Amino acid sequence: MAARKRASADASTEPKPQEKPKSQDPTPAEPPTAPLKVKSGFIVKLSLLLLGPYLYLIFHHYKIDQDLKRPILINAGLSIVGFFVTLKLIPVASRYVIRRNLFGYDINKKGTPGGTLRVPESLGIVVGIVFLVLAILFQYFNFTSDSNWLVEYNAALASICFMTLLGFVDDVLDTPWRVKLLLPSFAALPLLMAYAGHTTIIIPKPLIPYVGLEILDLGWIYKLYMGLLAVFCTNSINIHAGLNGLEVGQTVVIASAIMIHNIMQIGASTDPEQKQAHAFSIYLVQPLLATSLALLSFNWYPSSVFVGDTYTYFAGMTMAVVGILGHFSETLLIFFAPQVLNFLLSLPQLSGFVPCPRHRLPRFDSKSGLLTGTNDGTLVNFTLRILGRMSEKSLCTVLLVFQAIACCLCFVLRYFLAGWYK
């Protein structure tokens, strides 16, 4: 959850019986709204850094079949359009949510002028809507009515749409943690019910002598695992938060790694079904990355908008879906290594063994502008306890670099374990 304090329309602004009539009092001035600023230079540099390896692989390193490259490029074109549409819609949506008192105050700027600004909340809804429109339009260019992938593709979109809706409801109603953990289970149902792929796993080669099988069919246990993966990915993005740009930033880094992994598997594989599965993953990740970059241009420090649980639920479910249908859930979990670590650090508080405050954020010193880690079990606080005090922007950058290192480590592990592990 973002580093904000939810504004509430309480009775403090209404006249009490002993007060003078409202007409005799001067109208109180509303707090100023955070100005919408696009960090275009930062987004351009980040895009070149993350997309450079992907573009090199798809256009130069691998010879991708034209039947696969064409829809990937069409999808990329639609994603670029989605980027600019999202940039245009976020300011419009910001005015509407401010009008409906859906805004918050940045806790990590409390005591400074930035802490008094009203920041529009739940702008992840814009990304979710644009993403779904792009994904639906893409069907016209790639899928026929008898396509084997069409049912699962629409089921994936249904799960993502359901999760986006539940995330927005959570932002509005502010549901408790126990409910937050259950929401992804319901949203994953369309995907689980429509899933017609294999339910088998390849036994690692070192374990084959002990198991006695090379391939093990898990049946319904595999679908249960898929549901649990959706729950983890969705909530792990949600709890690894609290800094301007962190929620969207980690999604952008992981999505870029997923795209690179998929294109590497397409280029190296000779199995048409496996190639199509990874292409399917790219069809969903490219628009996720494009729309998220547009949101990050407003959400990067100092944040002009808050993404809300709407975005974290949407992003987590989307990446879970592509990992499930692309059949690389193990790789996806390695990409999520910082989120796994954050979950393990948070487990004592989330399970109730240790008191869990409403906001598990670091302490902000308004005089120095630096954050100090608390004893709360989050990766944000753990990093501050290890590295010492630092600014919010520097801390977010360190955490995103750590996210990128975890993704690179995944590729290194796959390279060295290829042929020995599986």
Side-chain angles (χ1 to χ4, degrees), residues 315-327:
M317 178 59 74
T318 303
M319 289 188 285
V321 164
V322 300
I324 291 169
L325 297 183
H327 307 301

Side-chain angles (χ1 to χ4, degrees), residues 1-3 39 42-43 46 106 108-109 119 237 240-253 292-293 295-308 311-312 339 380 392-393 395-397 399-401 403:
M1 78 183 335
K39 291 82 173 178
F42 167 74
I43 295 302
L46 182 64
D106 200 328
N108 287 335
K109 298 180 181 66
V119 183
I237 296 291
H240 185 36
L243 305 175
N244 290 173
L246 181 56
E247 298 98 320
V248 192
Q250 60 186 295
T251 301
V252 166
V253 173
S292 296
L293 282 171
L295 180 59
L296 184 60
S297 67
F298 291 97
N299 184 241
W300 186 249
Y301 184 92
S303 179
S304 302
V305 301
F306 286 146
V307 301
Y311 178 80
T312 58
Q339 287 73 23
V380 170
E392 182 178 3
K393 184 177 180 180
L395 177 59
C396 185
T397 302
L399 292 172
L400 294 184
V401 169
Q403 185 78 62

Side-chain angles (χ1 to χ4, degrees), residues 131-368:
F131 171 89
L132 289 169
V133 171
L134 293 176
I136 293 171
L137 289 176
F138 177 68
Q139 296 185 57
Y140 174 79
F141 298 98
N142 191 59
F143 296 110
T144 59
S145 58
D146 59 345
S147 174
N148 295 331
W149 287 93
L150 187 59
V151 174
E152 291 188 357
Y153 186 83
N154 284 325
L157 295 186
S159 291
I160 295 170
C161 181
F162 198 3
M163 194 70 257
T164 305
L165 172 63
L166 292 176
F168 189 71
V169 170
D170 182 27
D171 278 333
V172 174
L173 300 182
D174 204 13
T175 55
W177 270 107
R178 293 179 180 83
V179 178
K180 293 176 187 286
L181 293 174
L182 291 176
L183 291 180
S185 304
F186 297 113
L189 286 177
L191 177 62
L192 298 181
M193 295 300 101
Y195 182 76
H198 64 75
T199 57
T200 58
I201 60 172
I202 300 176
I203 303 298
K205 291 181 179 180
L207 300 180
I208 290 179
Y210 303 98
V211 179
L213 297 170
E214 293 185 1
I215 298 178
L216 178 63
D217 189 357
L218 297 178
W220 65 269
I221 299 178
Y222 189 84
K223 289 194 174 183
L224 176 62
Y225 164 73
M226 290 165 53
L228 294 175
L229 181 65
V231 172
F232 170 76
C233 290
T234 304
N235 283 287
S236 65
I237 296 291
N238 190 41
I239 65 176
H240 185 36
L243 305 175
N244 290 173
L246 181 56
E247 298 98 320
V248 192
Q250 60 186 295
T251 301
V252 166
V253 173
I254 297 173
S256 302
I258 291 175
M259 287 169 51
I260 294 173
H261 169 71
N262 283 321
I263 209 66
M264 290 175 65
Q265 294 303 304
I266 291 175
S269 176
T270 57
D271 183 0
E273 183 177 352
Q274 184 179 4
K275 287 184 177 183
Q276 188 59 54
H278 287 287
F280 182 97
S281 176
I282 291 177
Y283 300 154
L284 294 177
V285 175
Q286 286 186 151
L288 170 65
L289 177 60
T291 53
S292 296
L293 282 171
L295 180 59
L296 184 60
S297 67
F298 291 97
N299 184 241
W300 186 249
Y301 184 92
S303 179
S304 302
V305 301
F306 286 146
V307 301
D309 292 341
T310 307
Y311 178 80
T312 58
Y313 285 173
F314 154 76
M317 178 59 74
T318 303
M319 289 188 285
V321 164
V322 300
I324 291 169
L325 297 183
H327 307 301
F328 57 92
S329 57
E330 291 179 353
T331 300
L332 182 66
L333 286 176
I334 301 178
F335 288 154
F336 272 75
Q339 287 73 23
V340 173
L341 176 58
N342 183 67
F343 172 74
L344 295 176
L345 292 171
S346 302
L347 196 56
Q349 288 184 313
L350 296 180
S351 58
F353 290 105
V354 177
C356 184
R358 169 65 177 166
H359 295 292
R360 302 185 301 156
L361 297 173
R363 290 190 300 270
F364 175 70
D365 183 359
S366 59
K367 295 181 179 179
S368 64

Side-chain angles (χ1 to χ4, degrees), residues 69-80:
K69 181 181 287 188
R70 178 180 174 274
I72 289 175
L73 295 181
I74 292 175
N75 183 270
L78 288 173
S79 300
I80 293 173

